[in-house]
Amino acid sequence: MMRWTKRKNTGEPAPGTASRFVRRLLSASTGAALLCLSGCAATELENKSFPLAVLAGEQEGQCRVCYLSQDLSQVANENADGQNVTSASALGSTYYEAQKTFEKNNRCQLDLSHTKALIFQQSFFESDNFHLFLETVRQENMYARNTLVFLSDATMKELSEMNGELEMPLGSYLEQMMENEQDIRGQAVVTLGTLLNEQANSSQTILIPKLVEENGLPVIHAYQVMQDFVQKGEVDVEQAMVCYLLENQLQQMDLRLAEGIQVRLRDLRCKRDYTLRADTDLAGAGQKAVRPEITGRLTVTATARRITGKESEEEITQMLQDKIEDVCRSVWREQQADLSDSFRYLARYAPDIYRVYKERPEAFRELLDYQVQVEIHLV
C-alpha cells in the first residue's frame, strides 16, 4: 500500500531535510513572486485562501465543503514553522452555494487553481450533488484538470486533523504519494479531467482510489469502479492491479499467487483479440435462436522473479492465469463490471463486432467470456 511517514521532531537533521529545505525555498520564491507580480501587499494576499485539498460531503441532505488551505503570506516568511495550514468549512444546498457561503463567511476569495486533491466522501459521491459539482466546475473552470481525485469514508474532522499532523499539507502529501508510486503508470491516475471526460464520453473504465487513515497516514485500501460513468462498487487493491495489468498500465507488479508464493512481474504486456462464435450471423444476430457468444482472448506476457516460494515457471504461469480469470469473472459476477475494459478496445481489434454493439455496451459485456493465456519468463 502506498504511504509515507509522519514527521518526527528530533534534535538530529532527518533524512530528506535538504529536499524539504529546497521545497521551502521554492515555495518562498513562489510566494514572493506572487506578491511582486500582483503588486499587492501581504495584507491583501491574506484576503485570499489557497486550498491544497478540498473535501466534499453531505450533511442532512445538504453539501458541506471543507477547504484545507495554506497561508501563502507565511510561505515567504523564513521563520514560518511549516504548519501554515488552516481548515474551514461551509454548508449549502449545492457545492456552488457552499463555496460562496464560505467566501462570504470568511471574507476571502478562494483561489482553487493550485489545489492538489479533491476528496469526496462516499455519501457525496453517490448523490446528485456529485453530478452537480462536475457541471459546476466544468462551467466555472474552478480547478485545474490535473487535480487528483480520491474517495474516503473518513470524516472531515479526521481528514482535517491528518492535514495538520503530516510533514506537509495533505494535498501536497497525496500529490507526492502518487508521483512516487513505482508500479502504476501516470495515465492510470484519476484526475478531475478524467471525471469530466468520462461524464461527457463514457469511453473507459476508471478506478478511483479510496483512502483510509492508518497510523495517522492516508493509505489507499480500495478502488471504486466506474464503467460507462456508472458506479459499479469497490474492488480491492489486488483486483485493481489486475485491471491495470490488462490495461497495460503497470510498470511492475508484486503479486501474491497463493499462501507463501509471491512474485514480482516486470516487462508486462497484454495483447487481446475478440471473436464471435462461428455459427452466429452478425447481420441477423438479433433474430437467430442461437445465443451469440463473444470470446475475448487476453494474452499476458511478463518476466517474473520469485520473492517467496520455489514453484517452477510452468506452475507460476498457471497460477497467474487462474488468478486473472478468477478476478475478471468474480468482479463481473458480483458487480457487473468488466475489469478487462474490453468494450473500449473493441473498435480497434474487432470492428465488425463493434458495429453491432456500439450502442449496446452492456449487451456486449453480457455475451463476453474470457480466455486468458499467460507467458512467463522466470529470471
Side-chain angles (χ1 to χ4, degrees):
M1 288 187 286
M2 291 179 278
R3 69 180 73 188
W4 279 21
T5 57
K6 295 176 69 175
R7 183 181 61 231
K8 295 182 179 179
N9 295 319
T10 67
E12 297 293 327
T17 297
S19 63
R20 288 199 296 273
F21 173 76
V22 170
R23 288 198 298 270
R24 279 282 292 284
L25 185 60
L26 289 172
S27 296
S29 300
T30 302
L34 284 171
L35 287 171
C36 292
L37 290 173
S38 64
C40 296
T43 54
E44 292 175 326
L45 188 59
E46 288 173 356
N47 292 329
K48 277 198 167 187
S49 181
F50 300 87
L52 293 180
V54 176
L55 321 177
E58 286 213 325
Q59 181 178 322
E60 298 177 353
Q62 290 194 297
C63 177
R64 179 168 289 282
V65 184
C66 181
Y67 299 95
L68 306 181
S69 302
Q70 186 171 31
D71 182 1
L72 286 192
S73 67
Q74 292 297 312
V75 171
N77 179 5
E78 63 182 12
N79 296 316
D81 63 3
Q83 289 297 291
N84 52 329
V85 292
T86 61
S87 170
S89 67
L91 197 64
S93 60
T94 64
Y95 171 84
Y96 185 80
E97 184 178 305
Q99 177 170 312
K100 293 306 176 184
T101 299
F102 177 90
E103 291 179 324
K104 180 179 179 180
N105 291 346
N106 292 275
R107 297 181 181 179
C108 71
Q109 180 183 352
L110 284 165
D111 185 337
L112 301 166
S113 60
H114 301 290
T115 300
K116 308 294 186 183
L118 282 161
I119 305 174
F120 301 116
Q121 291 185 317
Q122 192 70 33
S123 59
F124 181 89
F125 181 66
E126 294 173 354
S127 73
D128 291 339
N129 266 322
F130 172 67
H131 296 277
L132 287 173
F133 166 83
L134 292 180
E135 292 298 338
T136 300
V137 299
R138 186 193 303 277
Q139 293 295 327
E140 299 294 325
N141 200 26
M142 297 173 174
Y143 296 88
R145 289 207 165 206
N146 63 353
T147 305
L148 297 169
V149 172
F150 299 89
L151 299 176
S152 181
D153 287 327
T155 66
M156 288 188 179
K157 180 181 178 182
E158 291 168 340
L159 292 169
S160 297
E161 290 175 349
M162 192 188 304
N163 183 57
E165 293 172 358
L166 295 169
E167 65 176 359
M168 64 182 69
L170 178 60
S172 299
Y173 182 99
L174 293 173
E175 179 187 53
Q176 295 200 23
M177 182 177 80
M178 299 307 290
E179 286 177 351
N180 287 324
E181 168 57 38
Q182 298 294 313
D183 298 343
I184 304 170
R185 299 184 190 277
Q187 302 96 309
V189 175
V190 175
T191 65
L192 178 60
T194 309
L195 293 182
L196 294 174
N197 289 339
E198 281 308 295
Q199 186 187 40
N201 303 314
S202 300
S203 61
Q204 63 179 320
T205 298
I206 58 175
L207 304 180
I208 305 176
K210 191 165 186 177
L211 301 172
V212 296
E213 181 273 333
E214 190 173 291
N215 298 321
L217 302 173
V219 175
I220 296 173
H221 85 114
Y223 291 80
Q224 172 74 43
V225 182
M226 293 195 79
Q227 200 156 68
D228 302 330
F229 210 65
V230 175
Q231 299 171 29
K232 294 291 188 176
E234 291 183 13
V235 295
D236 61 31
V237 172
E238 186 175 81
Q239 291 170 325
M241 293 305 108
V242 169
C243 179
Y244 289 139
L245 166 63
L246 299 179
E247 293 265 16
N248 288 316
Q249 295 293 349
L250 283 186
Q251 307 202 73
Q252 64 180 29
M253 180 181 186
D254 287 333
L255 190 62
R256 178 178 175 274
L257 294 171
E259 188 67 34
I261 304 173
Q262 183 123 3
V263 297
R264 174 165 293 171
L265 304 176
R266 288 182 173 161
D267 305 317
L268 295 151
R269 180 73 178 166
C270 177
K271 298 180 181 179
R272 54 181 78 210
D273 66 83
Y274 301 93
T275 57
L276 199 69
R277 194 171 62 182
D279 62 351
T280 301
D281 176 16
L282 275 176
Q287 304 171 11
K288 295 179 74 69
V290 178
R291 177 181 171 87
E293 293 179 0
I294 300 167
T295 300
R297 278 187 287 272
L298 308 173
T299 303
V300 176
T301 58
T303 59
R305 181 172 66 85
R306 297 187 195 92
I307 304 298
T308 58
K310 298 180 179 180
E311 280 64 28
S312 68
E313 187 173 276
E314 291 76 16
E315 290 171 319
I316 292 174
T317 296
Q318 187 61 53
M319 284 189 285
L320 178 58
Q321 181 171 304
D322 293 343
K323 170 75 80 176
I324 294 171
E325 288 184 348
D326 178 65
V327 166
C328 288
R329 286 176 176 154
S330 64
V331 171
W332 172 254
R333 183 174 61 250
E334 295 168 11
Q335 297 166 227
Q336 285 71 58
D338 173 23
L339 286 189
S340 73
D341 206 6
S342 290
F343 189 75
R344 178 185 177 189
Y345 298 94
L346 197 58
R348 184 193 310 175
Y349 293 104
D352 289 342
I353 300 176
Y354 175 74
R355 280 193 287 271
V356 174
Y357 292 100
K358 64 180 179 179
E359 303 297 335
R360 300 181 294 146
E362 282 302 313
F364 163 77
R365 295 184 187 112
E366 288 176 1
L367 301 174
L368 179 64
D369 188 30
Y370 303 100
Q371 285 186 4
V372 179
Q373 181 178 349
V374 173
E375 302 170 7
I376 291 290
H377 175 59
L378 195 60
V379 295

